[in-house]
Amino acid sequence: MSNQYAHIIGWGKYLPPRVVTNEEISRIVDTSDEWIMARTGIRERRIAGPGETTATLAFEAAARALEVADVHPSEVDLIIVATSTPETIFPATASLVQDYLGSRNAGAFDLSAACSGFVYALSMASNAISAGSSQVALVIGAETMSRVLDWQDRGTCILFGDGAGAVVLKGSSVPGGLLASSLRSDGSGADLLRLPAVYSSPVPGLDPTFSANGHPRTITMNGRQIFRFATQVVSDIVEEVMEKADLTPDDVALIIPHQANARIVEAAAKKLKMPVERFFLNLEHAGNTSAASIPIALCDAVEAGRLAPNDNVIFVGFGGGLTWAASVLKWDVTPPPVSLSQRQWRRMRYVIARTRSRLRQTGRSVSSMVSGSPTPEARMRDAERNEKKSRSKKKRKA
Ligand code: ACO
């Protein structure tokens, strides 16, 4: 063990500009602003535009977090993106972010634990820092939930939004930072909240090779059961993590919960006998952004002046899996001031990083042309040509 403590030294969020109000959703499904506000506390959410992806949202949040931390992208040695909406299973969204940032010294991977993902990722990165295998880690929660919603299902489409939040963790011998974490899972509740990716068995009536074709990959949820589960586990895990960090409720300045439903938070506050005002909520304007909700709420809490040096803050997430998790952190940062010219220069870094990335891609194409080995595109063209040939051969035989 290296005796390093993982401190948050930077934070950033990005929400797409497009706002979708409850009123707008009530023109798609049979619902109303009054119903959604009363049952969830959500008034509006952000939806990613055509040019935006989980990776671009994650990049924007990460770039802002690095700016606050005054850390150069090359200093980052670990990038974890917690997400349930990667645009591909591989490459990981984290690898795309690593490329966009130009963090050439970083390892990168995605972490899947639904709405608990950010707290899981925070704990993994903190462990890597205290074990000495990492010094500067970027932990990002990023989602484009709008792309996996059934917009005809009023039980789910009213809840979710898109966005990303990020923190920079840095190792230091000064005690503090992430004090304790608890991670939990109960796979027996897997069916209560699902988002299919690769089907485990062929869908009847379809060619097994294309088993997913024609089947929507959208979220299904048993809202009542998830509600019940969440009200039980949030208070339990908050109590557990306070005990691990040797804290009483009075020692905790702020709790930042997963932003799913204001009623879940009210129930948890009641169970914990803590004032509901000690829980930070921003879901009215951001909705449930799954793994992104806690880091986005953290940024909003800092902006609202809800965190002071030496405050103990608890992050608590829950969601699909079922999973739930909590972390206690000592908030002990004062970010250095950044001038406008420094900010502009930092943005230039990312233009340079993209240019370098494209040059590497071009270099690969040129070297495969020179060596005579085909590029991936040429290989795909050849495969298509061969498939056509064998299909017409079969037809002729028949
Ligand atoms: N508008 C109007 N009426 C609706 C809507 C809607 N959008 N949705 C459901 N209703 C109706 C139902 O049909 C039902 O009508 P009925 O009584 O005639 O049958 C009635 O409202 C009550 O339905 P419930 O499902 O009991 O409503 P509930 O109060 O439980 O609220 C909600 C539903 C908001 C989904 C709630 O259950 C909830 O928030 N659950 C938790 C979801 C959650 O936290 N997910 C987090 C994890 S996310 C992740 O991990 C990816």
Side-chain angles (χ1 to χ4, degrees), residues 30-31 35 39-40 114-115 145 154-155 158-160 193 221 223-224 226-227 258 260-261 263-264 288 290 318-320:
D30 182 15
T31 189
W35 194 97
R39 298 290 180 116
T40 69
C115 302
M145 301 302 286
R154 67 179 182 170
I158 57 157
L159 299 173
F160 295 96
L193 188 50
M221 180 177 77
R224 273 183 213 180
I226 293 290
F227 193 96
H258 169 46
N261 188 316
R263 289 189 297 138
I264 293 175
N288 176 349
S290 193
F318 55 88

Side-chain angles (χ1 to χ4, degrees), residues 33 69 71 91 96 99 113-114 125 132 140 168 179-180 186 190 200 206 277 312 314 321 390:
D33 179 39
V71 162
L96 303 181
D99 185 48
I140 306 166
V168 181
L179 304 177
D186 175 7
S200 51
L206 287 173
E277 297 72 36
N312 293 309
I314 293 181
S390 78

